[in-house]
Amino acid sequence: MCIRDSIITSSRDKKIKVWNFKTLTLAFELQTEDVRIYTLTLSPDNKYLVAGVSGYKMQIWDLHERRFLNEFKFVHSNDIKSIVISSDNKLIISGQLDGTLSFWNLETRQLIYKNMPRYQVLSMAMTSDNKYLIQGTTTGQIIAWDIQSKKMISIQDLSQTDQIKTVFVSNKNKYMLAVTSEGYFVLFELFYEQEEEDDDYVFEDAHSDDVDAVAVTRDSKYMITGSRDRSIKIWDFQTKKLLYTIENAHKETVTSLTFTSDDKYILSASRDRSVKQWTFAKLIQKIDSNQSKGTKQDL
């Protein structure tokens, strides 16, 4: 996760660290309990960091003041798998493995609404106009919710076996990208119902192993993917063509990918306990000139 001149990382060591992006040195560490961190989400104004942690809890920090603010405790016994925050910084939605979606007021930290569990939550995304919530499930469904009415408005069933590990909505809310546990990328027009599966919308055999990380540039022109096969791949998001592959990007699974706010750099994290900085602008230049080398720095 990258903001301004900082990088935010979390690990199985149960710590949240903030690094100086320019010097690649540790800036500060957030105070955390002895809990496992499942998911991290940053508010659009870069002020609040919200984490889903073990013990069925959600915690929030003020990054500007570098202090812990509050803890949200849940009455049901399932971990939080995904958290989204509205673009106006007013609403938090947390999704739990038992299928519960909880709607919270970010300012007061009070629960607004909680639905009855139906489909297990694995991933979520919100449209930039804050009207719709997209949910990916553990059994292959992609569900769209109307945030105001709290009602399900559509459901797309991709598979009875694949998990929807990541969902992403493009910046103009035109496209939605779903990534399954088997490594398939499926691109949809939002709320466009297809009578039959369209192969033109599927990125098949994207990697030789499961895909664990995806990121898209702000202009929705490029997509990057990371896998258990240890590679990072760059795709044309519109044509779905593979542009470039960084083989053996890490020694182990690539677990996380993100772009900096200007899309000039990629940050990748791995189970090998490293975070690497890649110069995306130079990679694109080399793609355009049919060259084949990337640049990187270890953190």
Side-chain angles (χ1 to χ4, degrees):
M1 180 180 297
C2 187
I3 55 168
R4 297 177 184 173
D5 294 328
S6 300
I7 304 166
I8 303 174
T9 63
S10 65
S11 170
R12 290 186 178 182
D13 63 8
K14 303 177 182 179
K15 296 179 180 179
I16 298 175
K17 296 182 178 182
V18 181
W19 305 79
N20 184 296
F21 179 76
K22 293 182 178 180
T23 64
L24 301 182
T25 57
L26 181 65
F28 61 93
E29 185 176 320
L30 294 175
Q31 179 183 355
T32 59
E33 298 178 356
D34 187 23
V35 291
R36 184 173 179 181
I37 301 162
Y38 294 120
T39 181
L40 283 178
T41 301
L42 186 68
S43 62
D45 62 0
N46 296 331
K47 182 177 182 180
Y48 300 110
L49 182 69
V50 184
V53 302
S54 58
Y56 325 126
K57 296 180 291 186
M58 185 167 66
Q59 299 179 338
I60 183 169
W61 291 264
D62 186 317
L63 286 179
H64 293 177
E65 298 182 5
R66 303 184 182 183
R67 65 185 180 94
F68 177 76
L69 292 179
N70 204 351
E71 183 173 88
F72 306 76
K73 293 184 179 180
F74 293 81
V75 295
H76 26 269
S77 56
N78 263 275
D79 291 314
I80 300 170
K81 302 305 290 185
S82 186
I83 299 169
V84 293
I85 302 176
S86 61
S87 60
D88 59 7
N89 296 294
K90 292 182 178 180
L91 180 69
I92 301 176
I93 303 177
S94 57
Q96 295 181 255
L97 192 58
D98 66 358
T100 301
L101 296 175
S102 299
F103 295 68
W104 305 83
N105 183 301
L106 176 57
E107 183 177 357
T108 66
R109 268 73 99 182
Q110 296 298 310
L111 181 65
I112 301 170
Y113 173 82
K114 182 174 68 176
N115 77 337
M116 295 298 293
R118 186 169 180 180
Y119 292 94
Q120 292 183 324
V121 179
L122 191 59
S123 55
M124 295 192 303
M126 190 185 299
T127 57
S128 59
D129 57 10
N130 304 321
K131 290 183 178 180
Y132 304 106
L133 176 73
I134 310 300
Q135 172 192 346
T137 76
T138 59
T139 50
Q141 292 83 23
I142 302 171
I143 302 170
W145 299 84
D146 184 292
I147 290 176
Q148 184 173 2
S149 68
K150 315 294 190 298
K151 292 182 179 179
M152 184 189 300
I153 56 176
S154 70
I155 182 168
Q156 182 80 32
D157 200 333
L158 296 186
S159 169
Q160 292 297 319
T161 57
D162 280 11
Q163 299 178 342
I164 307 300
K165 299 181 71 172
T166 303
V167 287
F168 168 83
V169 177
S170 64
N171 59 346
K172 295 183 179 180
N173 301 325
K174 183 178 180 181
Y175 297 106
M176 180 195 66
L177 175 72
V179 182
T180 75
S181 57
E182 298 298 321
Y184 288 101
F185 302 80
V186 186
L187 187 66
F188 297 95
E189 289 187 38
L190 270 177
F191 312 122
Y192 171 70
E193 295 292 338
Q194 293 170 289
E195 294 182 1
E196 297 181 358
E197 184 176 351
D198 186 346
D199 289 340
D200 290 340
Y201 282 77
V202 180
F203 297 73
E204 291 188 347
D205 300 322
H207 286 268
S208 61
D209 208 333
D210 289 0
V211 177
D212 283 352
V214 178
V216 179
T217 54
R218 290 180 181 270
D219 60 5
S220 300
K221 186 175 181 180
Y222 299 104
M223 177 177 73
I224 54 174
T225 59
S227 168
R228 295 183 185 183
D229 65 13
R230 300 177 295 171
S231 72
I232 296 173
K233 296 190 178 186
I234 302 173
W235 306 79
D236 185 305
F237 190 66
Q238 302 299 324
T239 66
K240 296 169 283 297
K241 290 182 178 178
L242 177 62
L243 301 177
Y244 189 79
T245 300
I246 305 172
E247 299 286 359
N248 298 313
H250 285 271
K251 295 178 181 178
E252 294 188 29
T253 300
V254 180
T255 56
S256 181
L257 289 169
T258 189
F259 285 98
T260 54
S261 58
D262 56 9
D263 289 334
K264 289 184 178 180
Y265 299 94
I266 300 169
L267 297 171
S268 63
S270 168
R271 291 189 185 277
D272 63 15
R273 301 182 182 181
S274 71
V275 176
K276 293 185 177 182
Q277 173 189 307
W278 307 82
T279 309
F280 185 63
K282 290 185 179 180
L283 288 171
I284 293 302
Q285 290 175 0
K286 291 184 178 184
I287 290 171
D288 292 339
S289 61
N290 295 320
Q291 296 181 14
S292 61
K293 289 185 179 181
T295 60
K296 64 186 180 184
Q297 275 186 295
D298 287 355
L299 180 65

